[in-house]
Amino acid sequence: MIAGPLAPSFRTPLRRWWATVPACAHGSGGPVMMMGALLLVGMFFFFGVAPPQAFAQTPTDAPFAVRGAPLDEALQRLARQADIDLAYPSALVEGRTAFCRTRRSAAEARLTCLLRGTGVDYVRSSGGTYVLFERRRRAPQHGRLTGTVVDAATGEPLPRATVLLADASTGTTTNEGGQFQFGRVLSGTHRLVVTYVGYATQVDSIVVAPDARRRLRIALSPQPVSSEPLVVKGLQQRLPSDSLGRAVVSADPLARLAGSGTPGVLRRAGRELGTTTHGPLARLHVQGGSSGEHVLRLDGVPVRNPVSLGGFFSAFSPLALDRLTVHKAGYEASQGSYTAGVLTATHDVGRADERLAVTADPISANGRADVQWTTDQGRTGGAMVAARGSAWPLYQAGTLEHLLGTWTAPDPALTSFWLSGTDGPTAVQAQRHRTDARFSDLHAAVRWPLGAFHTLSVSGYRADNRLEAALSSRLATDDGAATLAAQDEYLWRNTALQARHTWTASERLSTALQAYGSWHTSQYRYGLRSSAGAAGPLQLPTSVLGDSPKERNRVAEGGLTAEVDYSPRADLRVEGALEGQYIDGAFRLENRFTGPVVHGTRAWQWSGHLQATASLGVGTTLTGGTRLTHVPVRNQTYAEPRLSLRHDWAEGPLGGGAFRLAGGLYRQFVTQASVTSAEPTSVLPDLQFWLPLDASVAPPRAYHGAASVLLLPSTAWSLRLEAYYKRHPRLHHVDYPRLIAAAGSEAGTPRRVSRQSALLGEGEGRTYGLDATLRRRTGRVTGQLSAGWGTAQRRYEERFDARWVSAPWEEPVRLATQARVRLADGLQVRGQWESVWGRSWALRRIYYDYVGPAGGGGLERSSLNAPGTDVLAPYHRLDLGLQGERTWRGVTVAAQLTLANALGRANPFDASLRRGAGTTTRQPRTLPGRRLVGVLSLRY
């Protein structure tokens, strides 16, 4: 048989002559047009990761590129495109794969490039036909196997998927571009097993030809895990140790209704092993660290102030996210520099199985639209837009109204600081309040395939939040009745943009270049007015704010990152990156204790990392690396070496399992601090600000040690243990005594602070604990029991007599259990129990941070000087839920009904003090009680 264009008079005889050959192949290979793309960093609607394609057809004067295409197909297209004749039997090229990159336009040059490494050669006959034959030489015994693992629905590469050659007892994981490679594989047939969290396992037989490269594109079908817990516990579906030290929250749990009445991204993450959400704001803490000791990145962009207002407000629209990963103690050098951990969230782009999704709950309404397309070259692109808004203008949810009303209730003891001529109220006789809570966010992302080797992803995020409260209270004081009117207003906004270009340079090398920008602004105003007497009904205040001072915070940052991922051989992977980052932060703080304080810092930071992952044998992996960060304002470069060892085994006395040991040095170069609100009726308990380090303070430093064990005695049972220890020789915190003392010497005068050492104090910390999770999963029933014990201690040089005290967010003993029972197809019932014992710092933070350093205000100082002895009552909560789902003519309707806090417990989150006749009593503030909430969603 002949492949290629022949004159009609010769085509038929030649076909008859070659009729003895079983088959032939012909084709044309088009060169790939490498077109540069203008990266629009400010563009809001583009993000993408496209699957690498094996072959692209482009004009003949462009570079010629073939990556992992079947040799038969490549030869056919080359024949048509280059106008040449090829003759060969089909058995000659069967199972062979072509890899070629050349800028030479000559047909023979491209044919030579295509056949290189395939074991096939050619000769040209006198008639101009190229005849292919097998190269006569001793057949080698090994070949190479490379490929890409992608999502079957979206075409998005899947990083860290596990690829096993079962019969060869070897395996590897994909890189960030979803690529894997085995350098030397014994030729012949192999059993390939590919697994990934949240996807169906794929098993296939492949043939590796001698002295040839076999290129694969493996598409895994999503298999969401709809049961609790929110982490996809897919360790049985991939190398178990690969997920130790981190927790992955997939899209389905992120979008699931929470007990607060709306899905909450950070609230979901707080249910995981080693992570907690503390207090009414539900701020996240990673293994005993403060909320300022980790960072949250969306598509690689740092997002400051990811608010989770008691689980009612959320940092992001849950429908927009693909997954959230929590990197815990001993995390790798590639993840960054923070002393507690790193959270990474990624957008979910271009779902192929649905075009539109809408959900509604008592707090918010959410919507998402998807579009996906395929180019002429067969490449897949996709785009997504997701929007969310609060339902407050239409419906004021009772749970949120209760929580805001509880927060704004006046503190009986603290109000004396604002009422002149009295020792303070003894009781609140009557109260009226009005609150307004509104939020909205918008996500947009696109995946844009630029070519066979280039992809562009651009995404954007914008969130606006507003909290307002007006309060009027009638107070009974020692000097008679008084009326207190208060208003506060809190506004904040987040914006994040990024553009990322990835280039697959070869089967072993990939690179990425990302530019990003992130902006956060917030503003807080508070007004208070008191008057004697209590005549007439209470009226809500309308003009208390007036010209009241504003507290402001802003942080803007941008950067450029270049990454390289190279695998010189199958058992070694090397990663490296360089980043330049500019940060500009400023804030204004003003209250009656500190007076007006203004500070701003702007600085460049330069960082990079180098990390290597090596296989030490079957089941054993060693990862080592270091980060280097140069801080120009201090003219110093800081190193952070890190090391981890993982081992997996398939059989043992207790079945299969894995363990991980990790540790290293961790620093932090962006200060995130919380300033406690000083007002007796404030709607938020604290305000946050972010600053790059200046020359007056050294970066915080921590040493991590972590050990994790996973036991898999059967397919239904698993036991996971995590132990960690963190030593913090240097920590930063707000120095309240210094701020208060400085305000006393310059009362009423705006004070510009030029050095951060005037704001921040240094201290020490130590955190250690043990967490365990026992899980059973069968076809109908899934259950989990989690227990955690931990200690988080801090030492403040300027407070509490420089003693070690419990951290304000410490939860020493935590117990949780979750269960799900499938009653029928599409119908299931859920239950969740959570208990916490030993929470300290029981009083409102204003007592410890302002009242104590200011002299106690007539209160007993023994308690204020030992917050670790102020213990709250235990926290207990039971949630029960029913979930159903039905699909009709392509439309899926899902409903969920949850009875939150089914036992109706009044769980306290802090307490105020009330002074009576020579005594002081506590008045606890509680979280909402029993409530019934529901959510309805439509997907098309």
Side-chain angles (χ1 to χ4, degrees), residues 656-802:
F659 74 81
R660 171 182 180 265
L661 300 175
L665 173 60
Y666 298 81
R667 302 182 191 269
Q668 187 165 329
F669 301 96
V670 177
T671 296
Q672 177 178 331
S674 297
V675 179
T676 301
S677 298
E679 291 74 24
T681 63
S682 58
V683 69
L684 287 182
D686 57 49
L687 308 172
Q688 290 184 310
F689 65 84
W690 297 263
L691 297 169
L693 294 177
D694 69 4
S696 67
V697 294
R701 185 173 77 251
Y703 297 97
H704 288 194
S708 305
V709 178
L710 176 67
L711 300 177
L712 305 170
S714 69
T715 58
W717 288 94
S718 68
L719 174 63
R720 186 172 183 176
L721 303 173
E722 289 186 356
Y724 59 90
Y725 177 82
K726 303 176 188 176
R727 179 73 173 91
H728 302 262
R730 182 187 297 116
L731 285 173
H732 292 159
H733 54 262
V734 176
D735 191 339
Y736 291 99
R738 183 178 300 180
L739 288 175
I740 294 172
S745 62
E746 302 178 17
T749 303
R751 181 163 48 100
R752 181 172 296 275
V753 177
S754 59
R755 296 169 61 86
Q756 292 179 13
S757 57
L759 302 168
L760 303 176
E762 284 195 1
E764 298 179 78
R766 56 194 181 199
T767 304
Y768 49 91
L770 175 66
D771 298 297
T773 295
L774 178 66
R775 189 182 187 200
R776 176 175 171 81
R777 181 177 182 180
T778 62
R780 292 191 58 189
V781 179
T782 296
Q784 174 177 295
L785 176 64
S786 298
W789 167 83
T791 296
Q793 295 179 327
R794 294 294 186 265
R795 190 176 70 84
Y796 307 88
E797 294 182 355
E798 71 283 354
R799 286 201 288 167
F800 313 128
D801 300 325

Side-chain angles (χ1 to χ4, degrees), residues 158-164 172-176 193-202 220 231-244 246-248 323 325 573 646 648-650 656-658 710 712:
L158 298 177
R160 297 189 180 276
T162 298
V163 184
L164 296 174
T172 186
T173 58
T174 59
N175 61 18
E176 295 301 321
V193 181
V194 184
T195 61
Y196 193 74
V197 172
Y199 290 78
T201 299
Q202 182 167 316
L220 300 184
V231 166
V232 180
K233 298 284 189 177
L235 301 185
Q236 297 89 335
Q237 301 174 346
R238 56 190 298 195
L239 288 176
S241 67
D242 191 56
S243 290
L244 293 177
R246 74 185 69 179
V248 181
R323 60 175 58 91
T325 304
R573 176 187 175 195
R646 297 186 288 116
D648 300 82
W649 63 90
L710 176 67
L712 305 170

Side-chain angles (χ1 to χ4, degrees), residues 89-263:
S90 60
L92 178 65
V93 297
E94 184 177 353
R96 301 179 192 260
T97 304
F99 289 85
C100 172
R101 284 178 66 94
T102 180
R103 293 184 178 274
R104 301 177 64 183
S105 59
E108 285 195 9
R110 295 186 174 187
L111 179 58
T112 301
C113 180
L114 272 182
L115 298 179
R116 185 181 301 120
T118 63
V120 177
D121 208 341
Y122 72 89
V123 295
R124 186 177 183 184
S125 69
S126 59
T129 299
Y130 293 89
V131 181
L132 275 57
F133 58 89
E134 187 169 2
R135 183 176 291 122
R136 297 300 177 185
R137 60 176 180 172
R138 179 178 298 178
Q141 298 300 310
H142 294 85
R144 292 184 177 181
L145 179 63
T146 64
T148 304
V149 181
V150 301
D151 187 307
T154 67
E156 180 182 359
L158 298 177
R160 297 189 180 276
T162 298
V163 184
L164 296 174
L165 286 176
D167 51 343
S169 299
T170 186
T172 186
T173 58
T174 59
N175 61 18
E176 295 301 321
Q179 301 165 323
F180 68 90
Q181 64 91 19
F182 295 92
R184 284 175 57 83
V185 178
L186 190 65
S187 61
T189 303
H190 294 273
R191 184 169 177 263
L192 189 72
V193 181
V194 184
T195 61
Y196 193 74
V197 172
Y199 290 78
T201 299
Q202 182 167 316
V203 181
D204 200 1
S205 294
I206 60 161
V207 177
V208 178
D211 196 30
R213 292 183 179 92
R214 180 72 188 274
R215 175 71 181 182
L216 302 174
R217 183 177 184 271
I218 302 167
L220 300 184
S221 299
Q223 188 178 17
V225 179
S226 59
S227 63
E228 295 289 356
L230 52 98
V231 166
V232 180
K233 298 284 189 177
L235 301 185
Q236 297 89 335
Q237 301 174 346
R238 56 190 298 195
L239 288 176
S241 67
D242 191 56
S243 290
L244 293 177
R246 74 185 69 179
V248 181
V249 188
S250 66
D252 180 67
L254 285 175
R256 191 175 301 145
L257 180 68
S260 57
T262 188

